[in-house]
Amino acid sequence: MIYKFRAILDAEEDIFRDLAIANDNTLEDLHNALVNAFGFDGSEGGSFFTCDEDWVQDEEIPLFDMGDVPGEQKTMADIILSDILFENQTKILYVYDPFNMWTFFVELAAIEKEEDSEETELPALLFAHGVLPAEAPVKDFNAPISNDDMFGDFDDDYDDEDFDMFDSDEFSDFGYDEQSY
């Protein structure tokens, strides 16, 4: 099977690449295809992150094993694309160069049979839109965040009066003798 991906740079401008790659390739193969498609020199490492439908990241899958015990952490070379990406799980995050945080939203857009595909040599760059900026888009991790931004319309149905019960006699005796030391 052939997997067709769209990789979108997390930036204000529309910068994306469409790629085709065999589903039995590894995440390392996809990493290399992305590096080539966006014109990076490949001298930096990267990581994929599994995520949910809302792009909330979960497990990190790095290019190199950075765990405390060698061989314990799975790397990109250990993961076959079809094992983590399929019809019902189409999204994965990719970060190239952890110091500059080039961040990409990578989504499986189509799955085709090999005989249906016009591509002969895979991986292949199918389409490119936009020019990669000279520097990674800046992410403002220290921007001021209001309570509304952090918690939204949080409503827990509790008022200050709900906690007045702890001042009542009902909770004054917890079944042990208080001693002062």
Side-chain angles (χ1 to χ4, degrees), residues 5-19 34 36-40 94 102-107 125 127-139:
F5 289 98
R6 173 159 285 175
I8 303 170
L9 177 64
D10 184 15
E12 288 185 31
E13 307 82 28
D14 289 335
I15 302 167
F16 62 89
R17 305 291 184 263
D18 292 344
L19 305 165
L34 289 166
N36 290 329
F38 282 97
F40 293 117
Y94 173 65
W102 291 93
T103 305
F104 299 86
F105 300 98
V106 181
E107 186 165 12
L125 175 62
F127 184 76
H129 178 80
V131 178
L132 196 69
E135 294 182 13
V138 176
K139 304 205 179 11

Side-chain angles (χ1 to χ4, degrees), residues 84-108:
I84 63 167
L85 295 164
F86 39 88
E87 192 173 319
N88 295 328
Q89 175 58 43
T90 61
K91 297 178 179 181
I92 194 163
L93 294 166
Y94 173 65
V95 175
Y96 176 76
D97 185 359
F99 295 108
N100 290 308
M101 298 287 293
W102 291 93
T103 305
F104 299 86
F105 300 98
V106 181
E107 186 165 12
L108 178 59

Side-chain angles (χ1 to χ4, degrees), residues 3-99:
Y3 277 7
K4 291 189 175 181
F5 289 98
R6 173 159 285 175
I8 303 170
L9 177 64
D10 184 15
E12 288 185 31
E13 307 82 28
D14 289 335
I15 302 167
F16 62 89
R17 305 291 184 263
D18 292 344
L19 305 165
I21 189 169
N23 72 325
D24 59 354
N25 282 159
T26 65
L27 279 176
E28 185 174 14
D29 297 322
L30 181 58
H31 157 80
N32 291 330
L34 289 166
V35 165
N36 290 329
F38 282 97
F40 293 117
D41 64 12
S43 63
E44 302 297 333
S47 289
F48 283 99
F49 293 87
T50 59
C51 62
D52 64 14
E53 282 298 309
D54 296 321
W55 298 102
V56 175
Q57 76 181 38
D58 188 25
E59 178 186 356
E60 179 180 11
I61 306 166
L63 181 59
F64 304 109
D65 183 352
M66 297 178 290
D68 294 335
V69 178
E72 184 177 71
Q73 184 178 31
K74 288 193 173 195
T75 64
M76 290 182 199
D78 299 321
I79 309 291
I80 303 296
L81 292 174
S82 61
D83 289 343
I84 63 167
L85 295 164
F86 39 88
E87 192 173 319
N88 295 328
Q89 175 58 43
T90 61
K91 297 178 179 181
I92 194 163
L93 294 166
Y94 173 65
V95 175
Y96 176 76
D97 185 359
F99 295 108

